[in-house]
Structures are given as structure tokens and as C-alpha cells.
């Protein structure tokens, strides 16, 4: 089995470059922000970071395809990098430090491209998380200054901390009643949002999290980090991996119960 460590080292190099670009424009008074057709914001920093990452990948991995939130798919083949230049753009443009660059390498497999490397870099928080298939999940400043992370061992919903992003998406999909029932069963709920709940699941500080509507670039890096930390990452339909258009992540012990509340078809 490939060890993917060279790809992981490259992901750190890409993240270093993206961090420098995004932090330079964070809280800039003249930051340019546009509205995309789906009514979500995109800043000049989103575009610049993705262009930077794509340029470096073209030089370092010219045979690999790249899928990014801002510029779509380029190239083809069994290996595909998946990029979200700024996950949490709404936070970014308002000066909230909870945002990150998400970088993942996926490989063609049964059921679609599956993540084999993932990196989440949140420079305004001073945090970074990463994983490579078969090598575990880590957090730290860089590869040489890192601590291995693992999901929690909480086995009862009554003792669990549940993280989510917002209520509106659950209501739009007719899942709000199940969502609210779940919040009544757990010990604690917090709407951290975006990438952060998944990283806290991987670290063991949160036990379960879920979101009702997501794109592949929102999930690919998170999925490999959670699973390499010993957790479970699926869609709300229970399908493993980041391909269901939504996500549920847990320490594994609570996953069936989590899905039971959030998927009305189960």
C-alpha cells in the first residue's frame, strides 16, 4: 500500500503558502467580496489561495487532477486533489478567526474517489490537523512538531457533546424534529460550525457532529482525519466517506444513534 507521506509533506507546503496569502488579507479593510450564484460569498482571498495551490500542484504533481470550490475540476486520472481555499468564508469576511484551508488527495476507488491524505489549516487559530491513510491523525504546527489525536470513548448519548453549524438547513430538509430530539438527548450542544466540529471529533473534545448540506471540498479532508483518528465519517444515509452531500461524524460508538435521529428514513 502506498504510504502517501510525500503527498502529505506536499500538502503542508501548499498549506504554508495558502496561510500566508489568506492571513495577509484577513481583516483587510479593502477586502473585495462578491456573491456567487448560490448566494454564498467569495472573497479575493478565496480565489488567490486556490490559484496559488493549483499553481504549486501543477509544478509538483502535473499528472494529478484538481477539484476546487472556486475554479472547478481540471485534469483527469486516478488521483485528484480536492481544495477548499477558505472553509468559513462568512467568518473570514467578518473577521471571525474560525476558518481554514482544506486540502485533500483522493484516489479512484469503488464508490467514488476516496480521501487518502487530508490537511486542515486554520492559521488565525494557530491550529493545523492532518492525516494520511494508514498513518493516523495528528495536530501541531508542522510535521516535526505534532501530537497524535484520537476520538473520545464516550459511549452514551447522555454524556455526549454534539456540534453543528446552524438550524436552517435541518428545517429545509425536513430533518429538524429529529435534530431537536437529538439535542434533547445529549449532554451538550454547540454550533461551532464549518471544519471545526470535525477536528474536535478527531481530537476527542466533541463526540458527534453533523451537517445537512455540504460539497465534496467541505468534507474530503475532514473525512480522512476523523477516520484516521479512529472515528466514523459517513453521510446521513450511512454511506461511508464524503460523497452523500451531507455529513455525520462521530467517535464510532455513537454513530448509529446519531444517524437514527438525523435520517428520517432509518
Amino acid at each position: 500500500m502506498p504510504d502517501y507521506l510525500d503527498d502529505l509533506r506536499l500538502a503542508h507546503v501548499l498549506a504554508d503558502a495558502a496561510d500566508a496569502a489568506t492571513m495577509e488579507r484577513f481583516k483587510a479593510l479593502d477586502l473585495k467580496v462578491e456573491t456567487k450564484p448560490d448566494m454564498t460569498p467569495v472573497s479575493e482571498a478565496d480565489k488567490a489561495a486556490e490559484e496559488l495551490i493549483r499553481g504549486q500542484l501543477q509544478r509538483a504533481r502535473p499528472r494529478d487532477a484538481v477539484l476546487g470550490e472556486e475554479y472547478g475540476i481540471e485534469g483527469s486520472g486516478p488521483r485528484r486533489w480536492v481544495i477548499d481555499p477558505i472553509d468559513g468564508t462568512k467568518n473570514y469576511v467578518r473577521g471571525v478567526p474560525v476558518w481554514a484551508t482544506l486540502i485533500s488527495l483522493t484516489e479512484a476507488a469503488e464508490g467514488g474517489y476516496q480521501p487518502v491524505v487530508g490537511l486542515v489549516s486554520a492559521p488565525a487559530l494557530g491550529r493545523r490537523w492532518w492525516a494520511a491513510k494508514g498513518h493516523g491523525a495528528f495536530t501541531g504546527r508542522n510535521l516535526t512538531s505534532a501530537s497524535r489525536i484520537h476520538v473520545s470513548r464516550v459511549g452514551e448519548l447522555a454524556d455526549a457533546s454534539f456540534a453543528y453549524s446552524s438550524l436552517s438547513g435541518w428545517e429545509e430538509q425536513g430533518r429538524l424534529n429529529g435534530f431537536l430530539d437529538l439535542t434533547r438527548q445529549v449532554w451538550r450542544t454547540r454550533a461551532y460550525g464549518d471544519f471545526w466540529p470535525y477536528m474536535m471529533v478527531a481530537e476527542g473534545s466533541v463526540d458527534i457532529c453533523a451537517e445537512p448540506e455540504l460539497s465534496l471540498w467541505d468534507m474530503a479532508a475532514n473525512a480522512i482525519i476523523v477516520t484516521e483518528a479512529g472515528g466514523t465519517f459517513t453521510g446521513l444515509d450511512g454511506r461511508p466517506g464524503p460523497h452523500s452531500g451531507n455529513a455525520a461524524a462521530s467517535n464510532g460508538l455513537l454513530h448509529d444513534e446519531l444517524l437514527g435521529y438525523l435520517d428520517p428514513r432509518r
Side-chain angles (χ1 to χ4, degrees), residues 81-137:
W81 294 84
V82 180
I83 310 299
D84 189 343
I86 299 180
D87 182 52
T89 299
K90 292 178 182 177
N91 283 346
Y92 184 88
V93 301
R94 289 296 301 271
V96 179
V98 184
W99 51 270
T101 296
L102 278 54
I103 300 170
S104 178
L105 172 63
T106 66
E107 286 193 340
E110 185 177 351
Y113 283 80
Q114 298 299 328
V116 294
V117 169
L119 184 148
V120 173
S121 186
L125 295 177
R127 298 295 309 276
R128 184 177 288 187
W129 303 261
W130 62 89
K133 185 177 180 180
H135 290 277

Side-chain angles (χ1 to χ4, degrees), residues 162-173:
F162 171 44
Y164 60 98
S165 288
S166 65
L167 295 178
S168 58
W170 299 104
E171 186 171 26
E172 291 166 3
Q173 294 192 7

Side-chain angles (χ1 to χ4, degrees), residues 12 130 140-147:
H12 278 273
W130 62 89
R141 295 283 183 173
N142 51 55
L143 279 167
T144 59
S145 178
S147 301

Side-chain angles (χ1 to χ4, degrees), residues 182-213:
L182 175 61
T183 67
R184 297 181 184 108
Q185 298 302 315
V186 298
W187 166 63
R188 191 170 192 252
T189 63
R190 284 294 184 271
Y192 299 108
D194 300 308
F195 69 93
W196 208 5
Y198 303 97
M199 298 304 97
M200 287 190 280
V201 167
E203 290 183 319
S205 53
V206 164
D207 310 298
I208 55 177
C209 70
E211 289 183 90
E213 187 174 4

